[in-house]
Amino acid sequence: MNVLNFVHAFFSDGAHWHGYDGIPTRVWEHIQFTLEALAIAAAIGLPVGLVTGHYGRGGNVLALIATAGRALPSFGLLVLLFILLGFGVVPVMIPLVVLAIPPILVTTYEAVRSVDPSPVDAARGMGMQESRILFRVEFPVALPLILSGLRSAAIQIVSTATIAAYVSLGGLGRYIIDGLYQRNYEKVVGGATLVAVMALVTLALFWAVARFTVSPGVRRSA
Amino acid sequence: MSGFFDIPSDLQHSWLGLVGLHLREALLPVLAGLLVSLPVAQLCVRFRWLYPPVLGVTTVLYAIPSLAFFVVLIDYTGQTELTVMIPLAVYSLVVLVPAIVDGVRSVPQETLAAATAMGFGPVRRYLQVQLPIAVPAIIAGLRVATVSSISLVSVGMLIGNQGALGNLLNDANIYHRPELAWNSVITTAVLAILADAALVLVRLLLTPWMPSGTRSRRRKPAAAGPDATVPALEDAR
């Protein structure tokens, strides 16, 4: 009950809706960081995952990268890079991208590798080129899994971009970090609510994208 | 004076003390998660319709960012270790439940029938046949949950220095001692890798009938359809 009162107080205060520390500004900042990091990570992870998955090689190396990526504490990396490189977007972007690459890479690899080999052989028998096999046969079948990899990467970025407010990044984490220092619990809980809503919206967004892009035939067999 | 392992006195712990604290804050939640997911997974195996909604709920809970989860819990449990451990336990469910369900479901029907024919009751069949066969899948889930839990404890620093090794990060900042941040990152990563290796060892000990190398299994083309545990496991943080 207590928390709900705080949430209500935070959102009904008109002062929280304007200016550089207003809710619209902070939400937009958060979206920008998330999209930027996700785009960079996808630009690296997707091609590598698709090619290695197509040829079915390098699985052990990718598993190693994934374990290493998970073992590296993203928050620790964030603070360390901030101390080493100083204030800026780069020390925040690097950990976010490092965090997001393993799920994209490994899921894409597994998705393409585990496509049923008989349609792939059929496509090859019909004389399709390797690149066309990859994009016309394997990719559509693997798409649900590939999207799930992107989804978990996106959610991790949203969540870690919140923590990045500790090293002076804008975004929704500002409310939580500032609120904790100011002992303003209303602000803390308001920020937490916004972040949680944002993560759930991300989840819903990916669900909707999967709904529209995954071919009905693939969806039925899944 | 300011060596690599010289921990500022405000943390009230030696380096080893912080390591112990970190392991406790990371491993107890995974253990709690395992204790919760075993019965939940069994229910999902028993009643198939239950599985999709359970997966949905764990996925949604998992999506809640750790910092947001922590600060909302402060109202109930204060700035304590418990506030850090509850979300970690909840996060572990998203990996453990599918891992156990897939593991238990992968037990062949003939094996179950054989156990029943030998006079095994449902409880004994579960404990002596289904669980042992599911061990590799369960350990695979535990590995992901443990490693990400160890990494996430550090965030607890933000709520009243409850982050064990993560607390070094704040001290590195306020005392201008970058080596403390290095210490935190390296120690956490090494702990995670050691925990991972320990779980692999546990699997080898618990499943003496399996070939020790995974290589021979990997080479086989996945003709039997996609390996259901893989996407579920990779869904983890």
Side-chain angles (χ1 to χ4, degrees):
Chain A
M1 223 39 238
N2 219 345
V3 169
L4 291 184
N5 289 338
F6 280 124
V7 172
H8 180 74
F10 179 79
F11 286 105
S12 54
D13 185 346
H16 288 148
W17 290 92
H18 304 284
Y20 74 94
D21 198 28
I23 293 170
T25 321
R26 292 304 186 201
V27 168
W28 176 233
E29 281 175 349
H30 210 102
I31 293 173
Q32 276 177 306
F33 289 128
T34 307
L35 286 182
E36 199 175 325
L38 189 64
I40 298 174
I44 300 170
L46 277 183
V48 177
L50 286 174
V51 171
T52 51
H54 178 69
Y55 292 108
R57 278 154 198 260
N60 290 338
V61 176
L62 292 190
L64 209 68
I65 293 176
T67 311
R70 264 198 293 268
L72 267 184
S74 38
F75 180 50
L77 202 60
L78 202 70
V79 178
L80 182 62
L81 283 173
F82 173 72
I83 291 174
L84 295 180
L85 302 178
F87 177 79
V89 177
V90 177
V92 174
M93 267 311 148
I94 294 174
L96 290 185
V97 171
V98 167
L99 176 77
I101 286 180
I104 298 178
L105 196 60
V106 174
T107 325
T108 309
Y109 167 80
E110 280 298 341
V112 175
R113 199 188 64 117
S114 60
V115 169
D116 185 1
S118 45
V120 177
D121 284 346
R124 198 165 280 135
M126 284 167 62
M128 268 195 174
Q129 290 166 348
E130 290 298 309
S131 61
R132 270 169 64 92
I133 293 177
L134 178 57
F135 286 106
R136 302 286 298 273
V137 181
E138 289 175 321
F139 185 75
V141 178
L143 192 58
L145 266 184
I146 293 176
L147 281 175
S148 86
L150 283 172
R151 184 190 69 195
S152 80
I155 284 177
Q156 290 177 39
I157 292 175
V158 167
S159 143
T160 309
T162 315
I163 302 165
Y166 174 73
V167 292
S168 331
L169 186 79
L172 293 170
R174 278 264 62 85
Y175 293 125
I176 301 181
I177 306 282
D178 293 347
L180 281 173
Y181 281 126
Q182 297 161 359
R183 311 217 167 254
N184 181 349
Y185 198 59
E186 176 190 312
K187 200 169 174 179
V188 172
V189 174
T193 314
L194 282 170
V195 172
V197 168
M198 182 137 170
L200 295 183
V201 168
T202 310
L203 208 62
L205 219 57
F206 271 92
W207 180 81
V209 167
R211 199 94 195 121
F212 283 111
T213 56
V214 174
S215 120
V218 174
R219 207 185 309 147
R220 217 174 301 124
S221 67
Chain B
M1 166 73 195
S2 57
F4 193 70
F5 292 107
D6 291 334
I7 308 301
S9 58
D10 63 335
L11 297 183
Q12 306 189 347
H13 275 291
S14 64
W15 179 74
L16 276 179
L18 284 177
V19 168
L21 189 66
H22 201 96
L23 284 179
R24 193 176 73 205
E25 279 188 53
L27 299 184
L28 279 184
V30 177
L31 195 65
L34 182 64
L35 289 181
V36 172
S37 34
L38 277 174
V40 169
Q42 193 50 29
L43 282 176
C44 290
V45 171
R46 212 50 197 265
F47 308 100
R48 275 178 167 270
W49 56 268
L50 202 62
Y51 190 40
V54 166
L55 264 191
V57 169
T58 53
T59 310
V60 166
L61 285 174
Y62 175 75
I64 298 172
S66 47
L67 188 55
F69 214 144
F70 290 158
V71 296
V72 170
L73 279 178
I74 289 177
D75 201 32
Y76 302 97
T77 48
Q79 300 196 347
T80 60
E81 275 176 43
L82 197 61
T83 310
V84 179
M85 298 201 297
I86 293 173
L88 294 185
V90 171
Y91 290 152
S92 73
L93 296 182
V94 82
V95 189
L96 292 177
V97 171
I100 301 174
V101 169
D102 291 332
V104 172
R105 271 189 192 166
S106 71
V107 179
Q109 206 58 47
E110 307 89 76
T111 313
L112 294 180
T116 312
M118 284 170 68
F120 280 36
V123 174
R124 208 170 141 215
R125 197 181 69 171
Y126 177 68
L127 290 179
Q128 294 190 355
V129 179
Q130 288 178 306
L131 267 194
I133 293 181
V135 158
I138 298 176
I139 296 276
L142 276 178
R143 285 172 64 185
V144 176
T146 307
V147 170
S148 50
S149 183
I150 289 176
S151 155
L152 269 176
V153 165
S154 305
V155 182
M157 181 271 272
L158 293 172
I159 53 159
N161 261 5
Q162 297 296 340
L165 286 164
N167 299 346
L168 289 173
L169 298 168
N170 192 39
D171 278 11
N173 232 350
I174 57 180
Y175 299 138
H176 302 288
R177 287 180 53 188
E179 74 270 14
L180 290 180
W182 281 109
N183 188 339
S184 169
V185 171
I186 294 172
T187 313
T188 314
V190 168
L191 279 186
I193 291 167
L194 287 182
D196 195 55
L199 281 170
V200 172
L201 203 64
V202 168
R203 183 187 73 81
L204 291 179
L205 291 177
L206 285 181
T207 56
W209 62 87
M210 300 241 316
S212 56
T214 48
R215 205 153 284 151
S216 54
R217 200 168 50 92
R218 280 214 160 259
R219 283 290 147 98
K220 225 166 49 180
D227 186 358
T229 52
V230 171
L233 298 184
E234 275 318 315
D235 239 0
R237 199 172 288 238

